[in-house]
Amino acid sequence: MNENYTALELHKILEMLAEECSNEASRRIALDTVPETDADIVRNEVKKTFSAYNASAKVGSPSFFNISDVATISNRAASGAQLSLKELLDVAKLLMQTETLLSWRRQLEGEMDIDYLFKCLYSNRHLHDKITNAVVSEEEISDNASPELASIRRKIANAGSKIRESLDKIIKSSDSKDYLQESLVTLRDGRYVLPVKSEHKSKVAGLVHDTSASGQTYFIEPMTVVEANNEITILKGREQEEIERIIKELSADVAAFSEQLISDYTASVQLNVYFAKADLGAKMAATMPEISDDGEIVLNKARHPLISRDRVVPVDFALGKDYDSLIITGPNTGGKTVILKTVGLLTLMTMCGLMIPVSDGSKITVFEKILVDIGDQQSIEQSLSTFSSHMNKVIDILKTVDDRSLVLIDELGSGTDPVEGAALAVAIIEKIHSLGGKLVTTTHYQELKMYALETDGVENASCEFDVRTLRPTYRLIIGSPGKSNAFAISARLGLDHEIIKAAEDMLTGESRRFETILDNLEATRQQLEKNTKLAEEYRLETEKLRNEIREERRKLIETKDKEIETAKREARSVIERVSRQSQQLMDELEDLRKAKDKEDFSKRVSEQRMQYKHQVNSLYDEAAKLGEAGEKYVLPRPLKKGDDVTITDGNKPGIVISPPDQSGNVMVQVGIMKTKVHVSKLRLVEKEVTFNNKKLQKTAGVSAKVESRATRRAECELDIRGYTVDEGLYEVDSFIDRALMSGNKIVTIIHGKGTGALKEAVRNHLRRHPMVQSSRKGVYGEGEDGVTVCELK
């Protein structure tokens, strides 16, 4: 592997990837993965990994088996070779893997970036079942492999049973105990024999097949079973021939599907690699960064993948937009080298098609070269000092760096005289910068901090260190140079104050001023950070309150809509009840009309009148309750004598006789009646006024509702001018009924003169009406012949 990649420990990541793979071929691919330098290829590879990651998050990762190299097996079969039982089982395992992957894919809807691999999988259940039905293990063929094999094995079993029965008779005979070593039947060379004592071998007529190691036992095949054993031998020969035929047939089947099997194997291995990448990303809590080739790197909440998530501190890092070189300073063990490795390793992982442990909004540039000088490469054998070894590496970097290079150098210029080392480091940075390379380096030199402050395209960064606890926070602060904190750390560790004071006095004036500036910058940064944090807390709190207000407003709107809908339902219910009761009253009036000649007629009329009033008042009460649910009414001005008002209980018109008393009750004239009504149940109706010869109606509160085509000025007057005869007579009957219920005795019907048809029809109808005592035409001042005045019974 490239030594730069090794320095960044890419091989350890690839080993972790290999552990996620299920077969040897996938593991080889994982370990041999090389970072791609083409941005389009990298982008596609990472998208494939992310596609597998998303699919696994939805339905879980597919199962992968430890499949063997079936491509080689298939090629052997295609060349005419006879496969072993193990190779046939390997083929069956691949077919099961293929079926498992296809079944898993059917669970998902939509397209995946790795669908082209699933399209390379071919289901072949017939071949799978044929192999698994025939092959039991690497050493055994099943009886179900063919009917002929099953028949042969049955015959062998039957022949063996007959032999054992024959030999059992010999064993159980009374004289056999004397010459048999053991009372059992054994096998030698596939033939059934008896163990006979050597001194009695002549007593058993048969063939000797073997003797024991001590020579005390002869294994003799009695002549009575020789033919049966011969038969078994012949059958076993036929069995072996049938097994050879079955294996040859299965090998031919594998050869027939060799191309499909090779495609299945290749696709399964590649899918295993992509899902291994996805599983590794899931374990790292990784995500997919934006990928480009513009030289910009943005890492949000980046974590080094080889450090435990419980220990690593996420860092934010940026390079390549406002500056191309970043100089990181800070105390030793502050995490500077870890940041270098994190930037380089995450870039390499992305170029290998892996997801990386960063948060959303991160961006990785694909570089052609990643050049690294990290670690002490001092060599005793080559007589190289630390400085020399580092300088050799830097020289190699300068020979190859270009505008498609990322350069990572730890402690640039260290290991020699500080003044010369700092000057050399500045010159190297300027050279890399001029060649277009992106550089991240660490240092302790103040000269480099000053250089970064004064040079465009070069930026300072520091690893934060808590002097009070003597521990690094591992936070990267870009834009602020860091301090080595040698004096502060030494003081905390217990070094004598006089020694520290003497060391401080040895610093040059310029160094002191620079340290003071750094102290002020750090204090200002920390205060700004606190203010920013506080502002963010306020922002979040404000956002939370805004969301709560929006939610409350939404709930109020929903409640309002529900209340309105409830009121509408109740109103419809009241209307339907009024309609039913009105019809009932009409029916009762009709019954009364028919019973007018009965003795108790007057009594029944009175009872019905009272019942009607009670029902109407109940309906008024219900309507008033519905009205109360709405917006509360406020009188536009105090009531005074003579004001026209509307009583909400029944929507009745009236005139104020006296202003409200101390209890808020008002005396109101309603028709011929006077009643006390509380001011809360009154609505002011302003009278008509004339403005520019135009009549304007000002209404405060509830508008009077038109109940029919005739205008109801009062319950004692009915205007039916313009009605047809039938319409007019219907209105007259309804009007008389209402007048009776209201207790009005004298009523006036306005019909007009016109053609006289309506007038005559009304007067004739009134003469026959059972509830009319008498009727007359109007006199002067009442409307004369255009009206008819009636006296009701």
Side-chain angles (χ1 to χ4, degrees), residues 323-366:
Y323 48 89
D324 294 331
S325 299
L326 187 67
I327 299 175
I328 304 175
T329 53
N332 290 327
T333 72
K336 302 189 299 297
T337 304
V338 172
I339 292 173
L340 280 185
K341 288 188 173 183
T342 300
V343 174
L345 184 55
L346 296 189
T347 301
L348 287 175
M349 287 174 62
T350 304
M351 293 166 65
C352 289
L354 293 167
M355 298 161 59
I356 57 176
V358 294
S359 63
D360 294 339
S362 298
K363 181 179 180 180
I364 291 289
T365 284
V366 176

Side-chain angles (χ1 to χ4, degrees), residues 77-120:
S79 65
Q82 182 171 303
L83 303 180
S84 66
L85 296 184
K86 180 184 181 304
E87 289 173 326
L88 290 172
L89 289 176
D90 288 340
V91 171
K93 196 171 187 179
L94 171 64
L95 292 173
M96 176 58 72
Q97 174 72 88
T98 300
E99 198 62 44
T100 299
L101 291 173
L102 290 174
S103 177
W104 179 89
R105 182 62 185 89
R106 286 191 287 269
Q107 297 179 76
L108 288 170
E109 297 180 357
E111 296 182 356
M112 295 175 60
D113 290 294
I114 52 176
D115 271 340
Y116 72 97
L117 291 174
F118 283 98
K119 292 177 181 178
C120 294

Side-chain angles (χ1 to χ4, degrees), residues 617-628 631-636 639 644-656 660 663-668 670 675-685 700-702:
N617 289 336
S618 297
L619 293 174
Y620 282 157
D621 290 340
E622 286 196 50
K625 290 178 182 177
L626 289 175
E628 289 172 2
E631 184 178 355
K632 186 175 180 181
Y633 173 77
V634 179
L635 287 168
L639 296 176
D644 289 332
V645 293
T646 299
I647 303 175
T648 58
D649 293 348
N651 204 21
K652 302 174 186 176
I655 300 173
V656 176
S663 301
N665 293 321
V666 181
M667 186 65 71
V668 180
V670 181
T675 182
K676 274 189 176 183
V677 183
H678 193 271
V679 69
S680 63
K681 296 185 178 182
L682 295 178
R683 305 287 186 266
L684 178 62
V685 179
V702 181

Side-chain angles (χ1 to χ4, degrees), residues 107 181 198 250 312 464 685 696 732 756:
Q107 297 179 76
Q181 194 72 263
S198 59
L250 293 174
V312 68
E464 192 177 55
V685 179
L696 303 177
V732 168

Side-chain angles (χ1 to χ4, degrees), residues 14 31 73 110 123 153 169 179 252 332 392 437 497 505 508 513 636 683 724:
L14 298 182
L31 293 172
I73 295 172
S123 176
R153 287 181 172 175
K169 289 179 182 180
Y179 57 80
N332 290 327
N392 278 335
H497 178 71
D505 292 342
T508 63
R513 286 194 300 274
R683 305 287 186 266
T724 64

Side-chain angles (χ1 to χ4, degrees), residues 708 710-721 731-732 734-736 738-739 742 744-751 781-783 786-790 792:
S708 69
T711 302
R712 272 74 168 176
R713 292 189 181 90
E715 293 294 338
C716 58
E717 184 176 281
L718 173 68
D719 187 352
I720 55 172
R721 288 175 292 183
E731 291 292 337
V732 168
S734 298
F735 173 67
I736 291 174
R738 290 195 300 275
S742 300
N744 296 331
K745 292 296 184 179
I746 305 298
V747 297
T748 302
I749 301 171
I750 306 171
H751 43 64
E782 290 180 329
V787 303
T788 299
V789 180
C790 302
L792 303 180

